[in-house]
Amino acid sequence: MKIFLSLLLICFSLSAFAQTVGNVSVSSTRMRPETLKKLFLLKPGDTFSPEIYEKAQDDLHRLRVFKKLDFTATPQGDKVDITINAQDGSYIFPLAFAAGGAKSAAGVSLAGGNLFKQGESTFLFGGGSQDGITASAGITQGDEHLSVSYTKLNFDQRFYSGYRSNMFGVFSTTDDEDEYTSDLKAQVHSKKEQFSVTYSHRFSRTVRAFIRPEYVRYAYSSPGFDNGNHNQITVGLHLTDDIRQGTNMGALSGYGLTDKEKSLRNLPRVRQGYATGIYYTGGGNWTGSDYTLAKLGLNAAWVLELKNRHMFIVQGKAQHAFKASFSDEILSADLLTFGRYDRQIRGERGAGIGTSFVYYLLRNRTGLLSLAPFYENAYVYAGGKYRSHSGTGATLSYKLWRFPLPLGINYTHNLQDGGDLVGFVIGGAF
């Protein structure tokens, strides 16, 4: 009985000291206060803690539509009143880029933010190379995201010993045509057309689910391949917390830098972040496909951010095709993250893991200069055994605070082929 009374006393004491959110007061420039309150993680009556309060502030910073964003938390007994003073704006910004190598590619994007005073972000993108064209558009507002994408490829597919084949895609600027001629087994001209619609919904700060129906069609110049429709539907679930977000277009209009000073300060303590996801892709008569497809995929990432903001990153991926024709087989390049390669392995299933350390050579009010060495390895089951695809190298990147995308150079050494690739990098996460 004494133990029971002691437990009751402890629970009562804890509840007595627990604080909840009281009033949330908001002032803004364009956005309606009710809209900003809806976007803010904490609501009246929620449990208040410094950790949750910090995450709620980060979420508003990451909308990248504010020029000024101040928070005040005032204790009122067992409640904490929160005041938010925000100066929000809107922007539309075009960006063009070109990439070179054995193949050249170019693209242009048009990004907009807070155009409808909802804190939303929108984008349009189009690009092409000698291998094809691609275009996409999307909008994210609050917990909802909707995007559409179209890609048309026209390329030569080459096959080598060890179940290796060349890389392909609109922005794949590597080329193996002259390097591995003695190892070439076959070549076929290939065409791919793909149209997809993606809808996702965020159920909480860390949990998001999505569904993606796709129209996919392949055509090959030689018989014996899986010509025809490969229509499929993918459903998935993502869990993410404390993975640092990159800047977006708003910075160029003077918005989106509200957490700049905070980002330049050292952290009070080492922190961890994670991202993990699972997805299933299916296709068959029920999707209008000429072939049956059943594929399961897993993704995971863990980030350790040191007090001085340097980051240690571990990423892992796995895929298993229970049923898949040639065009839907597993590709080793999809299991790797950091490097650039001119060949990949096709197979039934596989897994890959990569590690990188992001070291900031320069971190000041102008920008961030980082060097990120990496190592990664994937194994794909093909021809009755697991075959390795691994590489090591480094990426040197620089990001101006007022420029939307990091720019840099990537060097990759392929540990199987012994080849070295140097490529221009635009975009990425910091």
Side-chain angles (χ1 to χ4, degrees):
M1 184 68 178
K2 290 182 179 180
I3 295 176
F4 177 71
L5 291 175
S6 298
L7 290 173
L8 282 178
L9 182 60
I10 292 172
C11 292
F12 176 78
S13 300
L14 290 174
S15 62
F17 286 103
Q19 290 182 305
T20 59
V21 178
N23 294 324
V24 178
S25 303
V26 171
S27 63
S28 56
T29 308
R30 301 175 70 251
M31 195 182 299
R32 294 173 62 245
E34 291 76 13
T35 300
L36 203 154
K37 287 182 183 180
K38 185 178 179 181
L39 296 172
F40 190 58
L41 175 65
L42 290 173
K43 305 292 189 294
D46 289 350
T47 300
F48 180 90
S49 72
E51 182 181 8
I52 297 176
Y53 182 48
E54 186 80 6
K55 292 178 185 292
Q57 295 179 62
D58 288 343
D59 284 353
L60 287 190
H61 284 302
R62 288 168 183 166
L63 290 176
R64 305 299 181 197
V65 298
F66 299 102
K67 196 168 188 176
K68 181 180 180 182
L69 195 56
D70 295 323
F71 301 88
T72 303
T74 307
Q76 301 286 351
D78 62 347
K79 295 183 180 296
V80 178
D81 292 337
I82 299 174
T83 302
I84 305 173
N85 293 314
Q87 183 180 339
D88 60 303
S90 61
Y91 62 88
I92 298 178
F93 184 78
L95 177 69
F97 75 91
K103 303 176 184 177
S104 59
V108 61
S109 65
L110 184 66
N114 207 33
L115 302 176
F116 308 110
K117 305 179 183 181
Q118 301 296 312
E120 82 292 336
S121 60
T122 58
F123 75 91
L124 292 171
F125 176 79
S129 70
Q130 63 194 65
D131 286 345
I133 59 171
T134 186
S136 57
I139 181 169
T140 300
Q141 199 281 313
D143 297 330
E144 315 298 328
H145 170 81
L146 180 66
S147 62
V148 296
S149 178
Y150 175 77
T151 299
K152 189 172 184 178
L153 296 176
N154 192 331
F155 62 100
D156 288 323
Q157 197 161 174
R158 290 176 286 276
F159 307 99
Y160 303 90
S161 61
Y163 291 82
R164 285 180 167 82
S165 60
N166 62 313
M167 304 290 290
F168 59 87
V170 173
F171 299 111
S172 177
T173 59
T174 61
D175 200 341
D176 57 302
E177 188 170 5
D178 298 325
E179 190 171 356
Y180 307 103
T181 53
S182 62
D183 194 27
L184 184 64
K185 300 298 182 184
Q187 177 172 308
V188 60
H189 190 72
S190 309
K191 295 181 180 180
K192 178 183 179 181
E193 189 173 21
Q194 181 177 16
F195 176 78
S196 64
V197 178
T198 302
Y199 169 75
S200 69
H201 176 77
R202 186 175 65 178
F203 293 94
S204 69
R205 186 179 186 274
T206 58
V207 180
R208 180 179 290 274
F210 75 91
I211 181 170
R212 180 184 301 118
E214 297 178 83
Y215 160 78
V216 185
R217 185 172 181 83
Y218 287 94
Y220 298 97
S221 61
S222 300
F225 290 90
D226 50 351
N227 290 278
N229 291 335
H230 292 252
N231 303 335
Q232 51 199 254
I233 294 179
T234 301
V235 294
L237 187 68
H238 291 298
L239 288 84
T240 307
D241 193 25
D242 285 337
I243 294 291
R244 192 196 304 177
Q245 305 294 314
T247 184
N248 73 2
M249 303 299 179
L252 285 164
S253 301
Y255 297 95
L257 299 180
T258 52
D259 57 348
K260 175 181 174 180
E261 298 297 329
K262 177 182 175 182
S263 298
L264 287 173
R265 294 195 299 267
N266 287 346
L267 293 170
R269 65 187 66 85
V270 174
R271 71 176 181 181
Q272 302 179 60
Y274 71 87
T276 183
I278 182 172
Y279 63 90
Y280 175 82
T281 302
N285 292 333
W286 56 283
T287 62
S289 175
D290 299 322
Y291 305 89
T292 300
L293 172 63
K295 182 187 294 185
L296 181 67
L298 299 170
N299 299 320
W302 175 72
V303 177
L304 180 68
E305 189 170 7
L306 306 180
K307 290 183 179 181
N308 52 11
R309 300 285 184 169
H310 304 319
M311 291 186 293
F312 177 69
I313 303 170
V314 179
Q315 293 189 342
K317 301 178 182 180
Q319 294 182 21
H320 185 84
F322 302 97
K323 295 180 181 179
S325 59
F326 167 80
S327 298
D328 294 309
E329 285 183 327
I330 307 300
L331 299 174
S332 60
D334 293 335
L335 304 173
L336 301 175
T337 304
F338 304 108
R340 292 165 53 88
Y341 305 92
D342 53 9
R343 296 199 299 177
Q344 58 189 337
I345 302 172
R346 285 181 173 270
E348 304 169 24
R349 55 184 178 271
I353 189 168
T355 61
S356 178
F357 184 74
V358 180
Y359 180 80
Y360 288 101
L361 301 168
L362 182 67
R363 185 163 62 98
N364 57 29
R365 296 177 63 86
T366 303
L368 305 172
L369 177 65
S370 67
L371 179 66
F374 66 87
Y375 168 79
E376 57 188 355
N377 192 10
Y379 284 94
V380 176
Y381 188 79
K385 69 175 185 179
Y386 283 96
R387 303 172 188 273
S388 177
H389 178 178
S390 60
T392 186
T395 298
L396 180 68
S397 298
Y398 187 70
K399 183 188 76 172
L400 289 165
W401 283 107
R402 295 183 65 83
F403 192 76
L405 296 172
L407 302 173
I409 296 176
N410 174 275
Y411 162 74
T412 303
H413 176 69
N414 189 317
L415 295 175
Q416 275 68 50
D417 297 334
D420 298 298
L421 284 177
V422 177
F424 178 71
V425 176
I426 182 168
F430 281 75

